[in-house]
Amino acid sequence: MFGTFPSGPPQSLGQGQGGLPSSEPSAPAQRKRNQVARACDWCRVHRIKCDNNLPCSNCLTRGEECSNKRKGEAQTLPAAIKEIDRLRQRVKELEEELKSYHRSTNNNRASLPSPSASPVTSSPVLSPGSLGPLGHHGASKKYWEGIHTSTTQSHQTQYYGPSSSFYFIGRISSYLGMALQQPHLDHHLQPNAASRLYASPTSPRSGNPDETSMRAEGIPSMEYLTGTQEDYFLGLFWQSYHCTLQIVDEVEFKEHYRSLWTTSGSPRKPSALVDIILAICMQYGVAFAPRSGTIKEPPVDVDGNDATIAGRWLYRRSQTLLSGELESPSIMTLQCYIFSVYYLCIASFQNMAHTTLSVAVRTAHILGLHLEPPENLPRKERELRKRLWWTLYTLESKTCMKLGRPWSAQLSHSTCSLPADDYDLALLSASNFASFGENVTWLTYSLQNTKLCLAARAVYIAFYDKCADVLGGNDKKTIYNDSQAMESCAQSLLSSMQCLQTWIHELPDGLKTKRKGSGEAFSTDKSPLELELFAPMWLQRQRLLLELLYHNLAMNLYRPFISFSRPLGSNMLAAEGHTISCVNHAISLTHIMHQVLTETDMLNGWHEAFQWQWNAALSLVGFILAYPLTPSSSTARNAINNAISVFERFGNNFAVALSAANVTRDLTAKADFLTHRLQNNLLTSEISTASNDIESPQTSFDTPNVLTNFADNDGIISSFDKRTPAMTQNPVAGPMDLAFSVDSFNGFEPPWEGGSNMSSMWGFPQE
């Protein structure tokens, strides 16, 4: 194909070599060869002469399809210049159209009648000061109020929204206080995490003045790791966090780490990024190793040697180094903030993590990561910037939904496209991970994790906006005061949840853990996992974490419809279906956790998985408290036993898990007591009714709690069958001879005269 052009410089006519006149007669001019504008795909690949026909003669001869997929691309410099000119002209045309649209919009606004000109009202012309600017920023909406409660070692309260586990704990606490006729303090329902004993990860333990290891004058050099120890913990990073938190370039990090060791035999130079990565790897590494010692049983309380606050020396030094980068942050600064959020979440300092997260979001804005990366950057760097932004965005979304607080990162301010996950990019980003299947590389997890959180956040926003509209219409503080309003919110959620089903449908099969028998991944059919023996560890962990996160997010979205006394009947099918879906997701999450921890070590020491299990355990306990005698209650009760077993296994790694097991046992014992008391009262009522052949006033139940004949699939519910008194009895109404609605007290205040104010312990809104 290169023979078309002459190999030497052109010579003047009538001259031979050396510029001398040629005595030979000039040869006739060669006929110009026909040029092909663009060869077809097959001829181009096989370097065969093609013609301008479609199909070409070669493809006709071989009897195959003739295609030219790159026909429209500019292949020469003049063609490229022409295409650029065309695009510039198109941009000008679009700008003119936009200006024209704005002019017409302004004219239409100017033509609207003013309030003073309206024949209906005689109000004066509104002045700028009377417009109520807060109303234009969403302040006029009546959002579902949360609670103010103390979750730390301080008595200062913090705010948590209605989607948080702390709000649900408050409802359980208030319900038990009324059912058992005694105050039920909030700290009895919370595990003893580090945040309840330490003011921060780097402070001495509260009430222990002898613990002076965290001295203000500095950190003893003996607390630093040796080079060998650092190599060990950094090796854990590449095996664990790197495949799920894909924000560090392995080659660049290792070069940076080597540059810190300047002199043989001396400690490495400080680095905020290296220190914080080592800190989270120490949390994981220390937790992965079972706790052992001279004592027979591991401690329940967190101490200075607990895995959740391991590496706190390194954490403190990294924060000190970061304080000098606030004015001129870099990509490495943002990476440090993201890892710091993970460290604080594992250490259970949720409010510190949320504060650090907001600083990380602002740092990303300063760096311009919310915008599409410049085209002049190498592709590897552009994609790293995208993964950084979307990892931060998903982390902030999960945190705000978990705590029920407003967002810091808004999607409307971002133009950054989703990160890529193709095979070529995966080879550029990390050579140690191979691809798996046609549509899955090690980067696919980051993309799908982002899509899942985007879908869940969209459902979350739509649901709580609907609740705000409903609460604004009936002037209430919660949806539990109005059955019709509650069902309206449930119908809205039912339609929105299709977003999560679409995500499951589009998820590559390579990221789905197979099931034994005919079970389906990402379903609530409770089928056991089929764990692959020879699949790489990073892939199996990605699959598990995606499915566990899905169940946790779905469970949180459905949980507001667990009502401790609101009557449920045929006119609330959507709300009842969401209640069943919530407990099914909690059961599925628990079954997965129990099987994985029993058969493998993939999630040993993985603290986020423990937090999901704690959240599921709360949902299970709340369900059997609210609906003790339903077909799903016995399944939920058995799942609680599995949850306690999961906590005990995690208890070998960190103390807070053993504390969670004790709290769950205590709550389950109370639920069992109320269930047995209800069953005895029902038996007594049936005997009394049979003997008197009349309905006693004490057995007239005004607040039925019915959940029967529901399918296991999310959002799919069937019609009611005939209900027995046992299926319609509230566990509190009989024992206390009261027919009341717990949730309708707007703050869960006690229903009896002179009772202690339960809402004083939990800052619920009062009417």
Side-chain angles (χ1 to χ4, degrees):
M1 63 182 289
F2 299 101
T4 304
F5 304 96
S7 59
Q11 298 179 352
S12 302
L13 294 176
Q15 291 185 347
Q17 289 183 339
L20 299 176
S22 175
S23 59
E24 298 179 1
S26 60
Q30 259 189 335
R31 185 172 59 88
K32 187 177 181 181
R33 200 184 83 175
N34 292 332
Q35 296 288 328
V36 179
R38 179 66 181 171
C40 71
D41 296 335
W42 190 86
C43 293
R44 185 175 69 257
V45 170
H46 293 82
R47 297 181 179 272
I48 297 177
K49 181 180 178 182
C50 187
D51 53 36
N52 283 320
N53 298 325
L54 187 65
C56 69
S57 58
N58 295 329
C59 292
L60 282 175
T61 302
R62 66 189 182 91
E64 298 292 340
E65 180 183 0
C66 183
S67 61
N68 196 340
K69 297 181 179 178
R70 299 177 59 186
K71 186 175 181 179
E73 298 180 5
Q75 300 297 322
T76 62
L77 180 60
I81 295 175
K82 184 177 180 181
E83 179 66 14
I84 292 173
D85 292 338
R86 187 190 68 81
L87 292 175
R88 286 176 177 172
Q89 182 61 30
R90 181 56 181 161
V91 170
K92 291 181 180 179
E93 294 174 357
L94 293 174
E95 288 176 345
E96 289 297 327
E97 292 179 5
L98 186 60
K99 291 179 181 179
S100 176
Y101 170 77
H102 286 316
R103 285 194 296 267
S104 63
T105 303
N106 294 333
N107 292 336
N108 292 336
R109 289 177 178 174
S111 63
L112 292 176
S114 63
S116 59
S118 174
V120 180
T121 61
S122 57
S123 302
V125 178
L126 295 176
S127 63
S130 64
L131 290 177
L134 290 180
H136 300 283
H137 296 276
S140 59
K141 279 195 171 184
K142 188 179 181 65
Y143 284 99
W144 190 346
E145 297 184 13
I147 62 171
H148 292 80
T149 183
S150 176
T151 59
T152 65
Q153 56 93 28
S154 171
H155 295 294
Q156 178 64 41
T157 60
Q158 300 85 38
Y159 170 81
Y160 297 93
S163 64
S164 67
S165 61
F166 297 105
Y167 184 88
F168 193 66
I169 287 175
R171 296 179 60 208
I172 293 177
S173 177
S174 181
Y175 176 79
L176 288 175
M178 288 182 287
L180 301 175
Q181 303 186 45
Q182 61 183 9
H184 209 81
L185 300 180
D186 60 308
H187 65 268
H188 291 160
L189 303 185
Q190 299 178 30
N192 291 328
S195 60
R196 302 190 64 82
L197 303 172
Y198 296 84
S200 73
T202 59
S203 64
R205 178 170 175 174
S206 177
N208 187 3
D210 295 332
E211 187 177 299
T212 58
S213 58
M214 291 292 179
R215 295 194 294 268
E217 62 268 18
I219 304 173
S221 60
M222 68 181 65
E223 297 294 339
Y224 292 127
L225 300 175
T226 64
T228 303
Q229 292 171 331
E230 288 191 356
D231 285 342
Y232 169 77
F233 285 112
L234 288 177
L236 291 180
F237 176 76
W238 307 118
Q239 300 170 20
S240 57
Y241 285 105
H242 186 52
C243 64
T244 57
L245 199 58
Q246 301 162 355
I247 59 173
V248 172
D249 184 276
E250 183 176 354
V251 176
E252 293 181 1
F253 177 84
K254 289 182 176 180
E255 290 178 355
H256 169 68
Y257 181 69
R258 281 193 295 267
S259 68
L260 302 176
W261 297 90
T262 55
T263 306
S264 177
S266 62
R268 67 168 173 84
K269 293 190 295 184
S271 167
L273 181 60
V274 174
D275 284 348
I276 192 60
I277 288 180
L278 283 172
I280 64 172
C281 288
M282 287 187 68
Q283 285 178 316
Y284 175 66
V286 174
F288 194 86
R291 295 188 293 166
S292 61
T294 57
I295 55 177
K296 294 182 179 180
E297 295 183 0
V300 177
D301 292 334
V302 176
D303 56 25
N305 298 321
D306 193 77
T308 57
I309 54 175
R312 48 186 177 155
W313 306 100
L314 294 164
Y315 166 78
R316 186 170 79 167
R317 187 169 72 172
S318 71
Q319 301 309 301
T320 302
L321 295 172
L322 285 175
S323 63
E325 302 179 16
L326 291 175
E327 185 59 29
S328 56
S330 63
I331 293 294
M332 191 176 294
T333 307
L334 179 60
Q335 292 169 335
C336 292
Y337 282 134
I338 294 177
F339 286 123
S340 298
V341 173
Y342 273 84
Y343 182 89
L344 292 169
C345 285
I346 294 172
S348 76
F349 292 92
Q350 303 297 332
N351 296 316
M352 288 183 66
H354 199 193
T355 302
T356 305
L357 188 57
S358 64
V359 177
V361 172
R362 292 307 176 203
T363 302
H365 288 157
I366 293 173
L367 296 173
L369 295 185
H370 61 296
L371 306 175
E372 187 69 15
E375 289 294 333
N376 59 347
L377 294 177
R379 189 189 182 211
K380 181 180 177 181
E381 186 175 345
R382 293 200 311 269
E383 293 298 330
L384 178 61
R385 291 172 67 92
K386 291 180 182 180
R387 288 198 301 274
L388 268 168
W389 168 252
W390 287 112
T391 298
L392 178 62
Y393 188 88
T394 55
L395 179 59
E396 206 246 353
S397 298
K398 291 192 298 183
T399 302
C400 291
M401 288 188 288
K402 177 177 67 176
L403 302 178
R405 293 171 181 167
W407 324 98
S408 296
Q410 299 290 342
L411 192 59
S412 58
H413 300 159
S414 174
T415 60
C416 182
S417 58
L418 292 177
D421 65 334
D422 57 88
Y423 180 73
D424 293 336
L425 180 63
L427 291 179
L428 287 174
S429 303
S431 58
N432 293 333
F433 296 112
S435 62
F436 188 86
E438 296 181 357
N439 301 320
V440 173
T441 66
W442 80 285
L443 296 175
T444 307
Y445 171 85
S446 181
L447 175 62
Q448 295 300 328
N449 185 61
T450 300
K451 290 182 177 180
L452 172 58
C453 290
L454 284 173
R457 177 166 170 163
V459 176
Y460 179 94
I461 293 174
F463 171 65
Y464 284 99
D465 280 351
K466 176 64 177 180
C467 292
D469 295 338
V470 169
L471 295 176
N474 60 17
D475 197 27
K476 300 292 183 180
K477 289 186 170 68
T478 70
I479 63 173
Y480 304 111
N481 308 100
D482 187 341
S483 298
Q484 185 177 358
M486 190 173 179
E487 180 66 10
S488 176
C489 294
Q491 291 287 352
S492 175
L493 181 62
L494 184 63
S495 60
S496 300
M497 288 298 289
Q498 186 60 37
C499 294
L500 294 182
Q501 296 302 314
T502 302
W503 174 82
I504 294 175
H505 178 73
E506 296 176 352
L507 183 68
D509 291 337
L511 282 178
K512 296 179 181 179
T513 303
K514 297 179 181 179
R515 295 300 198 273
K516 295 180 180 179
S518 58
E520 294 184 7
F522 292 87
S523 69
T524 55
D525 59 11
K526 309 174 188 66
S527 56
L529 307 178
E530 185 178 331
L531 300 173
E532 297 185 42
L533 296 178
F534 304 109
M537 180 67 74
W538 63 266
L539 179 62
Q540 295 192 64
R541 183 175 283 132
Q542 286 181 350
R543 291 170 173 173
L544 287 173
L545 294 179
L546 268 183
E547 186 159 0
L548 290 171
L549 175 61
Y550 162 74
H551 285 301
N552 182 69
L553 292 174
M555 177 185 63
N556 275 0
L557 290 169
Y558 287 128
R559 189 164 60 190
F561 293 95
I562 294 181
S563 175
F564 291 100
S565 62
R566 175 56 51 192
L568 299 178
S570 58
N571 62 330
M572 297 187 66
L573 291 178
E576 294 164 358
H578 294 340
T579 305
I580 293 296
S581 295
C582 173
V583 73
N584 282 339
H585 281 287
I587 294 172
S588 298
L589 187 150
T590 302
H591 283 181
I592 293 174
M593 289 291 300
H594 187 265
Q595 180 182 352
V596 172
L597 288 176
T598 302
E599 301 178 6
T600 72
D601 60 355
M602 282 187 287
L603 295 181
N604 285 12
W606 204 267
H607 197 275
E608 188 175 23
F610 157 73
Q611 292 175 335
W612 292 336
Q613 181 61 79
W614 168 245
N615 199 29
L618 287 176
S619 300
L620 293 170
V621 171
F623 180 83
I624 64 172
L625 281 171
Y627 315 106
L629 301 177
T630 65
S632 299
S633 300
S634 59
T635 308
R637 181 62 182 83
N638 293 332
I640 292 177
N641 293 334
N642 287 338
I644 294 174
S645 176
V646 169
F647 292 145
E648 290 173 341
R649 290 182 178 274
F650 275 127
N652 295 325
N653 308 127
F654 31 77
V656 66
L658 286 181
S659 178
N662 292 339
V663 172
T664 306
R665 287 192 193 95
D666 180 67
L667 286 173
T668 307
K670 291 179 171 62
D672 291 342
F673 170 77
L674 292 175
T675 301
H676 294 156
R677 190 171 68 177
L678 171 61
Q679 291 172 337
N680 292 335
N681 288 337
L682 289 173
L683 180 60
T684 303
S685 300
E686 291 175 0
I687 295 175
S688 175
T689 302
S691 61
N692 298 326
D693 198 26
I694 59 172
E695 183 181 19
S696 174
Q698 284 77 12
T699 60
S700 177
F701 312 124
D702 298 328
T703 57
N705 246 331
V706 185
L707 284 172
T708 57
N709 301 318
F710 290 99
D712 286 339
N713 294 332
D714 296 348
I716 302 176
I717 52 180
S718 61
S719 59
F720 282 89
D721 282 342
K722 295 180 179 180
R723 292 169 290 183
T724 64
M727 300 298 295
T728 61
Q729 170 63 25
N730 183 281
V732 184
M736 301 181 62
D737 195 20
L738 291 170
F740 60 88
S741 172
V742 176
D743 295 325
S744 65
F745 282 102
N746 302 311
F748 311 109
E749 53 198 25
W752 54 87
E753 291 290 336
S756 62
N757 189 359
M758 301 299 299
S759 58
S760 65
M761 298 180 295
W762 290 82
F764 287 97
Q766 298 288 310
E767 275 195 346

